Each structure stands twice: as C-alpha cells, then as structure tokens.
C-alpha cells in the first residue's frame, strides 16, 4: 500500500517536472535495483518430484474449489467487484478536469491510502467470527463508494470516495484470506493460489476494459456509478445463491 501511494505521487512529480519521457527513463533506471537483487539470489532447491501432470493438479484444485461454497463465494465476489466497479482506467480522464498530472497522481493513490489505513486499524478484525458476511458487506461498501465517485464534482470528494473504497477492499481481502486459510488444506494451497492468481490478473484488466468502453459510449460518471450498482447487485445475488458462504464463520482464536 505504501508503494502504491508513493509511486503514483512520484510519477506525477516526474511527469510535471521532466515530462513523460523523463518519467519513463526514471522507471527504467529503477529496474536496475531489481536486476541487482535477482543477481544476488542463491539457487533455489528443486521441487519435489510428482507423478501427476500439471493439468491433473490444476483439475484437482478446481474440483476442490467447486466443492467449497465459501471459496466459490470469495472468488465470485472478488471478480464481480473488479470487473464491474474497477475505476482505475478512468483516472487520467478524470484528472484532466481537476488539474492534469498532479490530480491524476492523487487519484491513483486514493485506493492505496484507504487500504493502508484499514490495515493499520485492523486490530478489531481478530474478534470477528462471521467472515463470509464481512466479505459481502465490505464488497457492498466498495460498490457503494464507487457509485459515490460517479457523482462527485471535486477532486477531494473523489479522493474521499476512493479512500473509503480502498479501505473496504482491504477488509474484503483480509476476510477472504481468513476463509482461504481455514478452508484450504496444505496439499491444495498451491493449486488454489493459482485460481486466486487468475482472479487477480483478469479481474482488474477486464474491469478497466469495461470502465473505458462504457465511458466512451456514455460518460465517465455513468461508467462509474453504473458499475458500482451492478457490483452491489452481483454481490447480493451471490450471497443469496450461496447461503453457506453468507453463514460462514470461524472460531475466534484465544488471546
């Protein structure tokens, strides 16, 4: 979250001071650090041999996920939130009306600021038992604040909506992680992590495509608030169709 806050702010400063070319040049130079870190890595041990093919392993993981309504609920809600209510592709166009690169860089930090604040104030989550219900509520709040973003007329109101949306998204991710950790046996963690990774990789990309396409056909505000409304409807439908997920709970660990 800290990197997601500092990075866009630094990008805005670089674009304003050195232009787009200067910002990309700095980005290229920053990868030298990553290359040095890779060069310093020691050889990793070879994986344990297995008779099963990768496709067989993947199929076993998919069958296990389908057999667990709580897991399916987390995947569906995460994908719905990202596809229907992911606003990031619209930030440059929104930033133009509020000052250009500086405003755009602020918009990019909003969700990360909310996520960081939610993380720092997350001590109360250890007392929560109904994790499925909290995932649903957090996803509904994400959609609600994206709806609010569609009706904002100033940069600071937009930032406020994004900060609250980022906090809701972080809480959703936190409780989804608890459900995964309690539901997935060790032997399945790698396979289920692959399914989770597909959600992380495809959801935001499809969400950006949807947001940009709808905005081009209508307007930026319509793209934002309509996506938020659809997200909330998808979350509610998921909770109704998967009552086991809605009722999912774990015991609070002793303190």
């Amino acid at each position: 979250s800290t990197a997601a806050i500092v990075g866009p702010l630094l990008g805005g400063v670089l674009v304003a001071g050195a232009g787009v070319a200067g910002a990309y040049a700095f980005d290229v130079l920053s990868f030298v650090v990553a290359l040095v870190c890779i060069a310093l890595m020691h050889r990793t041990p070879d994986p344990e041999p297995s008779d099963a093919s990768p496709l067989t392993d993947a199929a076993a993981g998919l069958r296990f996920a389908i057999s667990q309504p709580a897991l399916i609920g987390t995947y569906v809600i995460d994908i719905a939130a990202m596809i229907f209510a992911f606003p990031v592709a619209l930030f440059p166009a929104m930033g133009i009306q509020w000052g250009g690169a500086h405003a755009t860089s602020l918009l990019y930090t909003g969700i990360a600021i909310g996520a960081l604040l939610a993380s720092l104030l997350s001590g109360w989550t250890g007392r929560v038992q109904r994790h499925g219900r909290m995932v649903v509520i957090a996803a509904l709040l994400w959609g609600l604040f994206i709806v609010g973003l569609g009706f904002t007329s100033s940069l600071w109101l937009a930032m406020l909506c994004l900060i609250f949306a980022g906090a809701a998204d972080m809480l959703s991710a936190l409780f989804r992680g608890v459900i995964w950790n309690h539901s997935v046996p060790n032997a399945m963690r790698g396979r289920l992590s692959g399914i989770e990774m597909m959600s992380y990789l495809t959801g935001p990309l499809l969400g950006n495509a949807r947001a940009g396409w709808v905005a081009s056909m209508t307007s930026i505000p319509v793209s934002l608030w309509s996506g938020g409304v659809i997200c909330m409807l998808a979350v509610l439908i998921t909770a109704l169709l998967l009552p086991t997920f809605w009722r999912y709970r774990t015991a609070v660990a002793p303190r």
Side-chain angles (χ1 to χ4, degrees), residues 7-21:
L9 288 175
L10 178 60
V13 172
L14 289 170
V15 170
V20 175

Side-chain angles (χ1 to χ4, degrees), residues 99-166:
H102 173 71
T104 302
S105 67
L106 287 176
L107 290 172
Y108 274 111
T109 64
I111 294 175
I113 291 173
L116 180 61
L117 292 175
S119 300
L120 295 174
L121 302 174
S122 62
W124 61 272
T125 60
R127 298 186 293 274
V128 173
Q129 291 180 289
R130 299 183 180 276
H131 297 95
R133 191 165 299 181
M134 291 303 299
V135 171
V136 172
I137 294 172
L140 287 173
L141 289 174
W142 163 268
L144 179 63
F145 290 121
I146 298 302
V147 170
L149 181 63
F151 289 99
T152 56
S153 57
S154 71
L155 175 61
W156 300 112
L157 284 176
M159 283 293 296
L160 194 62
C161 288
L162 288 172
I163 288 171
F164 280 114

